[in-house]
Amino acid sequence: GHPATSGTAPTAVAGVIGGGQSFSSASSQYLDVNSGIIADAAPVTFGAWAQVNNGGQLMSRGRDGYGDGWSLDLAGTTGTSFSAAVTVTTGGAQTWGVNGTTVASPGTWYHVMAVWNGADTFSLYVNGAMQGSTGVGKTILRSSTIGFWFGRFFDSFLDGKMDEVRIARVARSPAWIWASWMCAASNTPFIAYPAALTGWPAVENQAGATNIALTSADLVGYLSSTGDSATAVAVYWGAT
C-alpha cells in the first residue's frame, strides 16, 4: 500500500460512495503519498471524483517549484473548465496541457481522470467522456522525491472535496474510464433484463387428473393461449 506519510489532514465528509475528504486551501490541507506510487517513465492514469469550491489542484506529482523538475497535475476551479498538464523544466519550462469543456459548478461532483500513455499522448476525461488530448514531447521524466500530492501542487492548495481517488501504472482505456464513472453515477446501464416472453402457448390444468384408473383418467384443463404459432396439445400416460 501507499499510505499518506505527511501533510495537513483534510476533514472526513460524505463522498460519492461512502466517505470522502474535504480540503481547505486556507488551512493548506493536503495528503502526501509516496512518490514511488508511479514510475518516472511509465504510463499512468490518475483522477478522482471531485467537487471544487474556489478551486485549486486536485492532485500532482513531482514538482517543487525550484530548479529543474517535472510535474503531472490535475486541476479544477469553479466557473472554469477542468485541466490537466505535464510540465517539464529543463533550463526552461515546457508544458503540455489539456483544458476540458465542462465548467465546474460549486457543490457538484465530477468524475475527473487524466491518462498519460507513457509515449506521446496526454488525455483528460470528465464524467466518462474525453474532453481533449495533446501530444507530449517528453516520455522519460526526471526522478523526483516529491510525493504524489492530493489537494496540492507546489504552493497551490485545493478548496473542495475528493472521493474515490484512482492511480494506476497503466493507461486505462476510454471504456474503463466510462465504466468507472457510470458505476457510481448510475447503475442503470449495467442492469439488463430479458424481454418478456410472448407468443408461447399456455396450458391451464391446475386441478390435475381425476378419475384415474389403470388405463384412463380425466384431465380438466384447457388451452388458454395458442401463441403466435400453430399449437398441438399432447397427453402422455405412464412413467415415461
Side-chain angles (χ1 to χ4, degrees):
H2 295 275
T5 57
S6 63
T8 303
T11 304
V13 295
V16 176
I17 303 175
Q21 298 290 322
S22 178
F23 296 78
S24 170
S25 58
S27 300
S28 301
Q29 293 177 335
Y30 74 103
L31 295 175
D32 185 352
V33 180
N34 189 300
S35 61
I37 196 168
I38 63 169
D40 294 314
V44 60
T45 301
F46 62 104
W49 280 91
Q51 186 181 114
V52 295
N53 298 325
N54 294 324
Q57 303 297 130
L58 302 178
M59 56 186 67
S60 67
R61 183 203 187 275
R63 185 80 167 107
D64 56 13
Y66 301 99
D68 291 345
W70 69 272
S71 69
L72 194 64
D73 68 279
L74 188 62
T77 302
T78 300
T80 62
S81 60
F82 291 94
S83 63
V86 176
T87 300
V88 179
T89 303
T90 307
Q94 299 180 59
T95 300
W96 296 273
V98 181
N99 290 318
T101 57
T102 297
V103 176
S105 298
T108 301
W109 285 101
Y110 299 91
H111 185 258
V112 188
M113 301 291 290
V115 179
W116 183 30
N117 67 358
D120 57 2
T121 304
F122 191 56
S123 304
L124 172 68
Y125 295 78
V126 179
N127 288 347
M130 182 187 292
Q131 299 206 341
S133 63
T134 186
V136 178
K138 187 79 171 179
T139 58
I140 300 177
L141 305 177
R142 178 182 71 87
S143 179
S144 174
T145 58
I146 303 299
F148 209 119
W149 289 340
F150 300 159
R152 178 182 178 183
F153 172 74
F154 185 34
D155 57 357
S156 175
F157 295 86
L158 172 67
D159 190 35
K161 302 174 183 178
M162 283 198 295
D163 189 20
E164 301 300 310
V165 172
R166 295 290 183 267
I167 302 172
R169 291 188 178 190
V170 295
R172 297 296 190 186
S173 69
W176 187 96
I177 293 174
W178 178 88
S180 296
W181 162 65
M182 184 54 69
C183 71
S186 172
N187 273 322
T188 301
F190 301 104
I191 301 174
Y193 299 98
L197 295 177
T198 60
W200 289 71
V203 176
E204 300 293 336
N205 185 33
Q206 297 176 355
T210 60
N211 299 325
I212 301 174
L214 184 62
T215 60
S216 65
D218 293 335
L219 295 177
V220 182
Y222 61 94
L223 183 65
S224 63
S225 173
T226 61
D228 292 337
S229 303
T231 302
V233 176
V235 177
Y236 295 88
W237 182 268
T240 60

